Amino acid sequence: GAVVSQHPSWVICKSGTSVKIECRSLDFQATTMFWYRQFPKQSLMLMATSNEGSKATYEQGVEKDKFLINHASLTLSTLTVTSAHPEDSSFYICSARTGGDGYTFGSGTRLTVV
Amino acid sequence: GENVEQHPSTLSVQEGDSAVIKCTYSDSASNYFPWYKQELGKRPQLIIDIRSNVGEKKDQRIAVTLNKTAKHFSLHITETQPEDSAVYFCAASKGASGTYKYIFGTGTRLKVLA
């Protein structure tokens, strides 16, 4: 089946630095990828929708300059958390549309900013 | 904006009993309703889904019902087992008219007691 590989699975970074998270579709072309953030014991909150070759569409309240999304190819989308702060610590997870209404999720990245 | 409410937030049942989780959506244009199971620190896994032209769907011990008029849909798990313990999320999507994005419910933590 369709697989999305997400890296890294966890990262610890210092406050003020930037972190890049990658999601790759391994056996299909992902024209649309979604990025979610999930705080402990909470739901998945959609941050942005990215379409290959075009600018990402951000949800209300999500800072586009802080969470940079790039979807330059049909198999790779990246999320860069710029100038990370402790409040950005969270579980970030991508999902790719596999056709029709179906999604497949990446394995998630636990970001801890110290 | 679009909203999906999910109840209860936590649910404990004895092994072998049934569990029911309910969701209500706000946007009548929603036409696809998946349910996901998420174990701690893992990616959400699709367990069942239903489209708006169907009232009920069953897959072994899991069933989903949809009431379009009331904008309710529910997950039913029968003969629960300890391995059913996880967090369950419902979601609603408007398909192409909503760029296929999912709006997730707030999650239900299910504990099956042996």
Side-chain angles (χ1 to χ4, degrees):
Chain A
V3 175
V4 170
S5 174
Q6 183 170 347
H7 294 281
S9 55
W10 60 269
V11 58
I12 301 172
C13 72
K14 288 187 177 178
S15 192
T17 61
S18 295
V19 172
K20 182 187 278 190
I21 300 168
E22 290 190 352
C23 277
R24 291 181 186 273
S25 55
L26 297 185
D27 47 4
F28 69 102
Q29 293 183 329
T31 54
T32 304
M33 281 230 190
F34 303 91
W35 285 93
Y36 290 86
R37 178 167 54 183
Q38 186 177 31
F39 290 108
K41 298 188 178 181
Q42 293 191 25
S43 188
L44 295 102
M45 299 303 296
L46 180 65
M47 299 174 69
T49 303
S50 76
N51 291 295
E52 184 267 336
S54 61
K55 286 185 181 177
T57 302
Y58 289 80
E59 294 298 303
Q60 197 171 14
V62 178
E63 299 172 60
K64 62 177 75 171
D65 294 330
K66 180 166 185 63
F67 299 100
L68 301 178
I69 289 171
N70 185 285
H71 194 161
S73 79
L74 286 169
T75 58
L76 175 64
S77 178
T78 61
L79 166 68
T80 301
V81 183
T82 63
S83 187
H85 290 285
E87 57 266 31
D88 298 323
S89 299
S90 188
F91 189 64
Y92 293 87
I93 191 163
C94 64
S95 68
R97 199 176 142 232
T98 55
D101 294 295
Y103 275 25
T104 188
F105 280 88
S107 51
T109 298
R110 184 157 304 285
L111 170 64
T112 302
V113 185
V114 296
Chain B
E2 302 155 60
N3 186 47
V4 176
E5 292 187 2
Q6 183 171 345
H7 298 281
S9 56
T10 59
L11 178 59
S12 292
V13 299
Q14 288 294 131
E15 183 178 359
D17 286 352
S18 295
V20 180
I21 302 170
K22 299 182 179 182
C23 288
T24 304
Y25 59 98
S26 61
D27 194 331
S28 56
S30 298
N31 57 19
Y32 175 68
F33 308 92
W35 283 89
Y36 283 85
K37 175 182 180 183
Q38 186 181 30
E39 296 176 15
L40 190 64
K42 302 274 182 73
R43 75 185 83 198
Q45 300 277 3
L46 178 70
I47 55 170
I48 198 167
D49 57 9
I50 193 167
R51 297 186 186 281
S52 57
N53 58 349
V54 174
E56 184 172 357
K57 183 176 177 181
K58 192 172 179 183
D59 182 3
Q60 299 182 344
R61 297 188 295 110
I62 294 172
V64 56
T65 58
L66 171 65
N67 181 329
K68 275 173 53 179
T69 305
K71 293 189 278 188
H72 287 169
F73 57 113
S74 299
L75 177 71
H76 304 252
I77 306 174
T78 58
E79 299 171 33
T80 53
Q81 300 164 3
E83 50 266 37
D84 294 330
S85 297
V87 179
Y88 292 80
F89 292 98
C90 62
S93 168
K94 294 194 290 187
S97 66
T99 64
Y100 296 99
K101 68 181 182 183
Y102 291 178
I103 304 300
F104 281 90
T106 45
T108 296
R109 187 168 301 275
L110 173 65
K111 268 190 199 171
V112 179
L113 307 169

